Amino acid sequence: MSKTYDQYQSWKLFQDYFPEEYRISNTNKPKEFYWSWKDYDVHIDHYLPKSPTKEVKLILVHGGGGNGRLLSPIGVALSQQGYECIAPDFPGFGLTVINKPNSYFTWIELLNDLVNKEAECDKKIVLCGISLGGMLSYQVACKNKNVFALMVSSLADTRKKNVQLQLAKNKFLGKYAFSFLNVSKYFTDNIKIPIKITTKMWAMANDPSFVEKLKKDRVGSGSWVYMKFLRTLFEAHPEKEPEDFSDCPLLFFQPEKDHIIPWEISEPFYNQLNCDKKVVFLKGCGHIPMEKPGIDQLKEAAIGYLEKVNKIA
C-alpha cells in the first residue's frame, strides 16, 4: 500500500511555525497521488483551487533536505488565489521510494518529464523552485520549452568552488568533498549518509526549535542520501549559461536572513541572466521563507507576477 503524509507527524508539527493563513487545514489539504515514472513511484501533493480558472499551473520544486510537503505554505497561498499547484517529492526525500542509488541528474530528468506531462493540460507551466530547487528549475527551463516562467529563491551554481564552500557544513567538506567523491565514486556512490552531516542544517530556518524538528524528519532533513547524489550535484551544469538564457521570465526571491544561500551566492548568476527578471528581498525570512512580513511579500509578488503570466497569449 502506498504511503501518505497522514502516516507522518513531522509536517503537522511544522504547521504551527507558519502564519495561520498559510497552514494546511481540513479545507485546503492537498490531494495525494503517485506518478509512475521509470523505476520510481513519485509522490505528488496536489493543491486544487475551488475555482481553478487560471491558465497557469505551478510545479513547486523543493531542494535538498526538503520535500514537497515542506512547500505547503506556497501551495496553500497560491491555490487560494485560484492557481493549481503540484509538489513532487524528488527521489531520496519525501514519500517517493528509491531502490537504487540515484543521481542529481535523475532529478533533472524527472522534473523535465513532469513538465511535459503537465503541459498536456494546455496550461502555462511555471516552476517555483526553493533552495536548490531554484537551480534545478533553471536547468530544466534551459532544455524545456514548456516552461513558461520561473519563480525561484536561489540560483546556486554548484560547479563553483565558492558555492561548494558556502553549502558545505564546514570548510573541510567544502574544499575536499567533491574531489574525494569524484575519485572514489566506484566505491562511495552506493553509500548512504545523513543529509544533515553535509550542510549547514542549523541555518535551514531562523527558529532553532523548528530546525530541531526538521532534523528529526525522516522524510525530509532527517533523510539519508546516496553519495552519488551529492557527487553529481556538484558536477551538474545547465545546458545554457545565464548570459545565453532568454527563454522565459524569472521572478527571484531572496530571503533577507538566508545563511545557506545568501544573495552574494546567487547574485553573480542572476546578474548574468539575459531574460526579463526581477528580484524581491523577503524581509525577516530565513532559508525556508516562512516568516512575516517576508512571506507576505513573496505572496504579493508572486500573485502580481502570475497575473501577468496568466494574461500572456
Side-chain angles (χ1 to χ4, degrees):
M1 175 179 266
S2 298
K3 294 181 179 180
T4 74
Y5 274 104
D6 282 340
Q7 297 170 255
Y8 294 83
Q9 287 296 315
S10 53
W11 70 270
K12 299 174 185 177
L13 298 176
F14 299 158
Q15 298 300 303
D16 289 341
Y17 293 89
F18 305 146
E20 188 171 357
E21 63 269 34
Y22 295 89
R23 299 173 188 170
I24 292 176
S25 66
N26 290 332
T27 59
N28 62 23
K29 188 177 178 183
K31 305 292 184 183
E32 300 179 63
F33 68 94
Y34 280 83
W35 171 45
S36 181
W37 178 80
K38 296 189 176 182
D39 296 325
Y40 302 90
D41 287 325
V42 181
H43 178 273
I44 297 178
D45 274 345
H46 185 194
Y47 298 85
L48 187 64
K50 294 180 180 178
S51 300
T53 58
K54 307 295 186 181
E55 296 182 9
V56 171
K57 187 170 186 177
L58 291 102
I59 301 178
L60 310 183
V61 185
H62 71 78
N67 53 43
R69 185 57 63 99
L70 192 58
L71 301 184
S72 62
I74 298 174
V76 167
L78 295 182
S79 63
Q80 289 174 345
Q81 299 298 318
Y83 292 98
E84 186 179 358
C85 305
I86 60 171
D89 288 340
F90 288 91
F93 297 95
L95 304 188
T96 294
V97 178
I98 62 173
N99 299 309
K100 63 180 182 180
N102 65 295
S103 79
Y104 178 72
F105 297 108
T106 306
W107 285 28
I108 295 175
E109 293 173 19
L110 190 159
L111 183 56
N112 185 64
D113 287 353
L114 183 58
V115 167
N116 290 334
K117 173 182 176 292
E118 295 303 323
E120 295 175 359
C121 69
D122 293 326
K123 287 193 174 185
K124 300 165 187 173
I125 304 301
V126 176
L127 298 183
C128 178
I130 302 299
S131 183
L132 291 179
M135 182 57 78
L136 174 60
S137 298
Y138 173 80
Q139 287 165 328
V140 171
C142 286
K143 61 188 297 178
N144 196 320
K145 296 298 182 182
N146 286 323
V147 177
F148 204 83
L150 292 169
M151 298 195 307
V152 304
S153 74
S154 74
L155 287 167
D157 189 348
T158 55
R159 297 171 294 176
K160 306 292 186 182
K161 179 55 68 174
N162 69 310
V163 176
Q164 294 174 18
L165 285 165
Q166 175 63 36
L167 293 176
K169 186 172 184 176
N170 54 56
K171 289 183 179 180
F172 181 84
L173 286 176
K175 282 185 177 182
Y176 303 112
F178 175 60
S179 297
F180 170 75
L181 291 174
N182 205 34
V183 170
S184 63
K185 59 185 177 183
Y186 297 107
F187 306 101
T188 58
D189 271 2
N190 293 342
I191 298 174
K192 292 181 81 172
I193 60 173
I195 186 69
K196 61 187 177 183
I197 71 171
T198 68
T199 192
K200 299 180 175 74
M201 197 58 63
W202 61 267
M204 285 286 284
N206 291 336
D207 190 318
S209 64
F210 182 64
V211 171
E212 287 305 308
K213 289 182 174 61
L214 281 174
K215 290 192 291 186
K216 295 176 182 177
D217 180 14
R218 55 196 175 98
V219 292
S221 298
S223 297
W224 288 49
V225 294
Y226 284 104
M227 287 192 179
K228 182 178 181 179
F229 174 80
L230 299 174
R231 174 178 63 80
T232 52
L233 171 65
F234 291 131
E235 68 182 28
H237 59 85
E239 292 191 2
K240 292 183 181 179
E241 296 299 332
E243 59 269 22
D244 299 321
F245 183 81
S246 58
D247 301 49
C248 68
L250 178 142
L251 176 62
F252 189 88
F253 301 118
Q254 179 59 56
E256 181 186 54
K257 297 181 179 180
D258 189 342
H259 300 297
I260 295 183
I261 308 178
W263 173 235
E264 56 265 29
I265 292 297
S266 297
E267 183 181 17
F269 198 95
Y270 174 87
N271 286 341
Q272 293 179 68
L273 287 168
N274 197 28
C275 62
D276 180 23
K277 60 189 178 184
K278 179 183 179 181
V279 60
V280 177
F281 292 92
L282 307 179
K283 188 174 179 60
C285 279
H287 185 67
I288 300 173
M290 52 185 259
E291 298 92 351
K292 284 178 175 282
I295 193 169
D296 290 335
Q297 292 175 295
L298 184 155
K299 177 182 175 181
E300 181 180 353
I303 291 171
Y305 178 71
L306 292 173
E307 284 300 317
K308 291 180 181 178
V309 170
N310 194 57
K311 293 176 183 177
I312 297 174

